[in-house]
Amino acid sequence: DVKVTQSSRYLVKRTGEKVFLECVQDMDHENMFWYRQDPGLGLRLIYFSYDVKMKEKGDIPEGYSVSREKKERFSLILESASTNQTSMYLCASSEEFDNEQFFGPGTRLTVL
Amino acid sequence: QQQVKQSPQSLIVQKGGISIINCAYENTAFDYFPWYQQFPGKGPALLIAIRPDVSEKKEGRFTISFNKSAKQFSLHIMDSQPGDSATYFCAANYGGATNKLIFGTGTLLAVQP
């Protein structure tokens, strides 16, 4: 079974802090994705990566950056957390030419 | 053109009834239409998917109906069960190596016993 793990299930941070969300997948997938999920807005793509050290902006990249130094690991970085970044963050991965995305359990981030 | 519009936002169905969730899109370049199911505390998981070359796909109690000319697709859950209570997301994708998905806003389904 494909497994996508996220470093924390719940996280509470202060405004202005630098926040790291980590995601690891164990199926040697080329593609990895970061989404945020908000009620009434669905899943919105923040960034994705189709190879090590490669990244592309999604629909809402402002205030976020990413890092992919190893194929299995994709990190989402909030350089200076703000209250409007309070959300559920979901990581996903997929094979290069396969449409199915496999999701992690999510990290619920609260920024106070 | 990049949006996928999903309705209703929430749905209450009696056990044994039919649940129907609808989605509409504008971009005719989309070539893959999945439905994801998400239980509380879990990430979404692929439920069923369809490509535009067929009008219907059925897997057990779950059916996707696809209307290419109307640019609409829907999920039908037959004989709905309390265990089907979850949030359902439609999505669309126009292929390529990166396989980006564009998601609808989600439907919270509650199946009452």
Side-chain angles (χ1 to χ4, degrees), chain A residues 6-31:
Chain A
Q6 295 184 229
S7 52
S8 306
R9 294 301 303 270
Y10 300 94
L11 208 53
V12 180
K13 295 292 182 180
R14 297 273 179 197
T15 301
E17 280 192 78
K18 190 169 185 176
V19 181
F20 293 87
L21 302 182
E22 304 286 338
C23 174
V24 177
Q25 51 95 2
D26 67 358
M27 283 301 291
D28 201 35
H29 284 172
E30 284 76 14
N31 301 324

Side-chain angles (χ1 to χ4, degrees), chain B residues 48 68 75 99:
Chain B
I48 187 173
K68 190 173 182 178
L75 176 69
N99 295 317

Side-chain angles (χ1 to χ4, degrees), chain B residues 69-108:
Chain B
S69 60
K71 291 185 282 187
Q72 295 175 347
F73 59 110
S74 59
L75 176 69
H76 296 238
I77 306 174
M78 311 301 288
D79 187 26
S80 299
Q81 300 296 312
D84 297 330
S85 298
T87 300
Y88 292 82
F89 294 96
C90 62
N93 153 298
Y94 32 45
T98 56
N99 295 317
K100 282 172 51 179
L101 288 175
I102 298 168
F103 284 87
T105 51
T107 296
L108 179 61

Side-chain angles (χ1 to χ4, degrees), chain A residues 9 31 33 35 37 40-43 45 48 50 56-57 59 90 94-106, chain B residues 2 9 31-32 36 38 41-46 51 87 89 93-106:
Chain A
R9 294 301 303 270
N31 301 324
F33 308 84
Y35 295 89
Q37 180 178 2
L41 297 177
L43 279 68
L45 182 64
F48 66 99
Y50 50 92
E56 284 197 22
K57 293 180 180 179
D59 300 316
L90 290 163
S94 73
E95 292 184 16
E96 185 175 9
F97 292 106
D98 190 343
N99 291 294
E100 182 176 2
Q101 292 186 15
F102 295 86
F103 284 83
Chain B
Q2 297 295 80
Q9 190 171 359
D31 67 356
Y32 173 76
Y36 279 76
Q38 183 182 30
K42 305 284 187 183
L46 179 66
R51 293 198 179 272
T87 300
F89 294 96
N93 153 298
Y94 32 45
T98 56
N99 295 317
K100 282 172 51 179
L101 288 175
I102 298 168
F103 284 87
T105 51

